Amino acid sequence: MGKLAVNIVDKAGVRVPLLVEELNKAYADEWLAYIQYMAGAQVASGMPRPNLLPELEEHAAEELDHAKKLAKRIIELGGTPIIEPKMWYKYSTCGFAAPKDHDAKIILEQNLRSERCAISVYNKLINVLDGRDPVTHKLLVKILEEEIEHEQDLEDIYEDVKSLNCKKK
Ligand code: FE
Ligand code: FE
Ligand code: MG
């Protein structure tokens, strides 16, 4: 923990332990999103895999990167990232949707819901931190940009899946 760094955030009117808790909730969401994408990539069917797999795996890697960056910031703020997977369920806002149905369309719908949840989580936090903690603010804006990209990518693939399904019938 950087003492001065934490002090500056505190003086700017942010309750640092509460911020750490919010970042830990986002951290739990990111781990679960990572696993949801990986599991989905492994079982998905119903669409040419070369179109679907690289996107799901790329998103998984990006969610893991978000978790890493959040962990770094949590530590800088004097907190400890939640390292117990059982606790991720407890802290998560967006939850975990197991890809029990392997249909690519269903998996994409589940992942889309998770992305939209992430977008609203980050959007809320960014609004609260504006002008108070520039470092966390900047990090969360960067993550939000990628979540928005994820939503767009999934929407695009979803349209492809739907048109493929139409052609089959
Ligand atoms: Fe993410
Ligand atoms: Fe995402
Ligand atoms: Mg992508």
Side-chain angles (χ1 to χ4, degrees), residues 92-111:
S92 171
T93 307
C94 300
F96 180 76
K100 287 177 191 154
D101 190 324
H102 299 175
D103 186 328
K105 192 165 164 273
I106 307 284
I107 288 175
L108 286 166
E109 283 166 1
Q110 288 175 326
N111 288 340

Side-chain angles (χ1 to χ4, degrees), residues 37 63 66 115 146-147 150:
Y37 270 119
E63 309 304 8
H66 296 164
E115 292 298 347
E146 292 191 4
E147 307 303 9
H150 289 172

Side-chain angles (χ1 to χ4, degrees), residues 55 58-59 62 149-150 153:
E55 200 63 55
E58 183 191 89
H59 287 197
E62 285 167 354
E149 236 180 77
H150 289 172
D153 292 344

Side-chain angles (χ1 to χ4, degrees), residues 23-169:
L23 295 179
N24 249 326
K25 288 165 76 175
Y27 176 77
D29 282 334
E30 292 294 354
W31 266 114
L32 294 178
Y34 165 71
I35 297 167
Q36 192 175 310
Y37 270 119
M38 283 303 291
Q42 283 153 15
V43 297
S45 64
M47 168 156 198
R49 291 173 76 77
N51 299 6
L52 185 63
L53 279 205
E55 200 63 55
L56 297 181
E57 285 176 355
E58 183 191 89
H59 287 197
E62 285 167 354
E63 309 304 8
L64 189 59
D65 183 59
H66 296 164
K68 285 183 195 165
K69 287 177 171 150
L70 288 167
K72 175 173 177 277
R73 189 60 188 148
I74 288 166
I75 290 164
E76 284 173 355
L77 290 168
T80 307
I82 300 167
I83 46 173
E84 171 62 69
K86 268 186 290 190
M87 299 296 283
W88 296 340
Y89 275 88
K90 189 169 175 275
Y91 274 79
S92 171
T93 307
C94 300
F96 180 76
K100 287 177 191 154
D101 190 324
H102 299 175
D103 186 328
K105 192 165 164 273
I106 307 284
I107 288 175
L108 286 166
E109 283 166 1
Q110 288 175 326
N111 288 340
L112 259 171
R113 264 195 297 278
S114 305
E115 292 298 347
R116 287 171 182 152
C117 178
I119 288 171
S120 66
V121 164
Y122 287 117
N123 204 48
K124 271 186 212 151
L125 269 175
I126 285 165
N127 286 336
V128 171
L129 291 174
D130 194 18
R132 294 195 165 97
D133 175 358
V135 175
T136 308
H137 186 270
K138 188 177 158 212
L139 168 64
L140 299 185
V141 168
K142 186 79 200 61
I143 294 177
L144 176 63
E145 276 173 20
E146 292 191 4
E147 307 303 9
I148 288 171
E149 236 180 77
H150 289 172
E151 183 194 31
Q152 183 67 56
D153 292 344
L154 294 181
E155 281 179 0
D156 292 345
I157 304 176
Y158 191 74
E159 288 309 309
D160 294 347
V161 173
K162 276 203 304 195
S163 63
L164 270 177
N165 287 356
C166 288
K167 276 172 208 155
K168 262 189 235 161
K169 277 161 200 168

